[in-house]
Amino acid sequence: MNNPTPNAPGRVSTAPPPPAAVASLGKAATRRIVELDVLRGLALCGIIFVNIPPMMSVHRTVDYQVLPIPHAFDMFVQQRFFPIFSLLFGVGFGIFLASAGRRAAHPRVVLLRRLVVLAGFGILHQFLQPGEALLPYAIFGLLVLLPMSFLPWWANLPIGAALVATAITFTSGGTALIPGLLLTGFALAQSGLPATLHRRRGQIAIVFAVAVVASAGFLVLQEQNPLSAGFTHSSAAAGLFMAIAYSTGLLLLMRTPARRALSAAFEPLGRMALTNYVTATLLIILFGPLAGLWESTAWGTLIALAAGILVVQVIWSRLWLARFRYGPLEWVWRCATWWSIVPLRRASA
């Protein structure tokens, strides 16, 4: 899961960034990029529906027939939100390295420490949810992002895209997509694109249209073998293009009067994404068996539990952020990264 990171300008690669990128990063330093927080919140909403079934061993088939709700999940949820989450982690690390470049003499050492701390979170979280994403993010961050951070964005972007394409071609997606998605997101941050999303409606609309068409085509292919959905190349491809469609569609809606409602629902979740990702696991472990989900086919109950957790997290995130600058785990991560106590309470609180 991704987290809010400092948005200050700075050097990301050994090659000087273009002036436009410097300007974009400079603007990002004075404000949070709301669109990124909203996208993180959207990703969390989808991921919780994917995480509950394996954690509670919920059955998805009866007499070798996929039940209606899990079948709908295969089409519209499974592998559709994980790519968003992974890409945004890469974006967050890129923005963080830019910020660290202005605050520290050796910014990559600070990023190294940040990744090591994330690995610690991931190891602990693995005990509660085997197969969680934090530990792979940290490992691939160390193995891929740190060495590739010496390259400029225009080199990292095609390399990241090639890694993603290779993963889809030779695997069924999942963890294999992480290195490419992290590097792609990192390259986008290097280029300064995240801070200019509000000026790219036309480009976003084109990407949205292409992603919708591609998603439809790969969904048709995925439906040729519904019992294996989630474990095929077509499922991975459909998931990636639908993730792009969901993301760009939401960004387009953020340019409409719906922006206020979308920000109210998703932004608090996204600003405390690390905390909400981990606490969702705790709430699932606590309330899933009580709701009768363990080794059941109660998919309606599963949806109710996921929705209930998300509502609680939106409310508590808004209340927390009204008093504090960062979520609890975000604050711990930040303090450990910088090896100093960072102010938590808002001055006006």
Side-chain angles (χ1 to χ4, degrees):
M1 154 296 60
N2 207 330
N3 76 303
T5 53
N7 294 322
R11 186 174 298 277
V12 178
S13 68
T14 55
V22 174
S24 296
L25 286 173
K27 292 179 180 179
T30 60
R31 65 173 181 86
R32 293 194 62 85
I33 303 176
V34 175
E35 290 83 359
L36 296 185
D37 287 329
V38 170
L39 287 174
R40 288 188 190 101
L42 173 70
L44 283 175
C45 289
I47 286 173
I48 190 172
F49 288 97
V50 174
N51 285 346
I52 293 178
M55 290 180 63
M56 292 290 104
S57 298
V58 180
H59 302 298
R60 66 189 305 274
T61 59
V62 173
D63 296 330
Y64 300 101
Q65 297 295 317
V66 181
L67 296 170
I69 293 178
H71 182 66
F73 277 21
D74 288 339
M75 294 181 66
F76 302 109
V77 181
Q78 184 72 29
Q79 293 208 68
R80 276 55 173 167
F81 295 90
F82 174 72
I84 303 174
F85 211 41
S86 302
L87 184 81
L88 290 175
F89 249 102
V91 171
F93 287 135
I95 294 175
F96 176 83
L97 185 58
S99 173
R102 291 293 296 268
R103 298 179 58 182
H106 303 286
R108 287 177 181 81
V109 174
V110 183
L111 178 59
L112 171 64
R113 193 157 58 228
R114 188 167 184 79
L115 290 166
V116 170
V117 175
L118 180 64
F121 282 134
I123 291 171
L124 295 176
H125 196 214
Q126 285 277 341
F127 287 106
L128 300 175
Q129 184 192 330
E132 60 87 53
L134 300 181
L135 184 57
Y137 288 159
I139 292 173
F140 287 119
L142 291 167
L143 297 178
V144 178
L145 292 190
L146 268 179
M148 300 302 284
S149 69
F150 290 95
L151 297 179
W153 73 268
W154 47 263
N156 281 330
L157 188 59
I159 294 173
L163 289 174
V164 172
T166 301
I168 290 178
T169 302
F170 295 101
T171 74
S172 57
T175 304
L177 288 170
I178 292 178
L181 289 170
L182 284 179
L183 186 57
T184 300
F186 189 86
L188 293 176
Q190 284 182 301
S191 73
L193 182 142
T196 65
L197 286 173
H198 60 287
R199 301 201 306 263
R200 298 178 180 270
R201 178 163 52 182
Q203 295 171 339
I204 292 172
I206 292 173
V207 174
F208 172 73
V210 172
V212 168
V213 173
S215 298
F218 281 110
L219 270 179
V220 172
L221 294 177
Q222 175 181 311
E223 282 298 284
Q224 304 305 306
N225 190 6
L227 286 175
S228 298
F231 303 95
T232 63
H233 304 306
S234 57
S235 296
L240 178 64
F241 282 108
M242 291 190 76
I244 296 172
Y246 288 166
S247 300
T248 52
L250 182 60
L251 290 175
L252 291 174
L253 287 174
M254 288 288 288
R255 300 295 302 274
T256 71
R259 178 185 179 92
R260 184 173 181 179
L262 292 171
S263 295
F266 294 127
E267 187 180 358
L269 283 175
R271 290 185 61 184
M272 292 176 47
L274 176 61
T275 297
N276 286 325
Y277 180 66
V278 173
T279 56
T281 297
L282 297 174
L283 292 172
I284 292 167
I285 292 174
L286 177 62
F287 292 105
L290 295 177
L293 283 178
W294 181 254
E295 294 188 343
S296 72
T297 58
W299 285 84
T301 303
L302 184 154
I303 292 175
L305 175 63
I309 290 174
L310 289 172
V311 169
V312 169
Q313 288 187 328
V314 168
I315 294 173
W316 101 280
S317 296
R318 291 182 65 87
L319 293 174
W320 180 274
L321 291 172
R323 291 179 173 270
F324 302 101
R325 298 173 184 269
Y326 317 107
L329 292 185
E330 284 78 9
W331 179 73
V332 172
W333 194 14
R334 188 176 295 263
C335 291
T337 295
W338 291 105
W339 211 243
S340 64
I341 301 300
V342 177
L344 176 60
R345 185 175 292 272
R346 291 186 179 277
S348 59

